[in-house]
Amino acid sequence: PPSVAVITENGHQPQVPSTVKCISIDKLLSQEARLKLRQARDHERVLQLRAVLEDCENLLILIQHDPDPDAIASGLALRTLLGRNKATARIGSFGQVKRPENVIMVQLLGIEIEQVTVEKLRHYDGIALVDVQPPYFGDILPRVDAVVDHHPLVAEYEARYCDVRYSF
């Protein structure tokens, strides 16, 4: 009997008879088709993230203590992706930018990072974390609306939107 190709995604290999051969979607599609598929998935993620945060009039984009360039840039990127500005989406940290090269970076680029306290959290109707996950902050966050991070998932937690993709 002739063989049939089954397209699999993410390396998932279904149990099939030996007469059925499997091929991954990555191998089946051209590089251009894979790019278009990835762009469509990314666009859908952006729409989902915007939908979760659209009703937040005063959003806090929270980054780790002593933020590094990666976190700072991620905060700016999220604010831009959401079509927000400093008035509707503040970038904040419970700590301060301390490393000299990072201090110079935020000064030269005119980036404002608000020093947040637990009391100040009440002034925000939305909290989005970038480059960090909720367990980093212990139990001080009243809620987390969105998490976008590229580090490994550190624990189970609640968030209305979560995009944690670790790659090395």
Side-chain angles (χ1 to χ4, degrees), residues 25-26 28-41:
I25 196 155
D26 287 342
L28 181 66
L29 297 177
S30 68
Q31 185 174 359
E32 183 178 350
R34 286 194 306 269
L35 175 64
K36 295 293 184 189
L37 184 59
R38 188 169 42 252
Q39 288 172 339
R41 286 179 183 151

Side-chain angles (χ1 to χ4, degrees), residues 59-132:
L59 177 68
L60 173 64
I61 299 172
L62 188 60
I63 54 182
Q64 74 266 26
H65 314 325
D66 193 12
D68 60 10
D70 184 31
I72 296 164
S74 296
L76 287 171
L78 178 60
R79 183 163 64 196
T80 301
L81 190 68
L82 296 172
R84 301 290 190 104
N85 57 39
K86 294 176 194 177
T88 62
R90 302 282 302 166
I91 298 172
S93 172
F94 285 102
Q96 297 177 354
V97 178
K98 294 181 182 173
R99 286 173 270 177
E101 64 274 20
N102 298 343
V103 170
I104 291 170
M105 177 186 140
V106 296
Q107 288 173 346
L108 287 173
L109 297 175
I111 302 168
E112 296 176 24
I113 300 174
E114 179 180 334
Q115 188 163 9
V116 180
T117 63
V118 174
E119 295 78 34
K120 285 184 180 179
L121 290 177
R122 290 185 299 220
H123 301 292
Y124 294 97
D125 59 356
I127 299 174
L129 307 184
V130 291
D131 198 38
V132 67

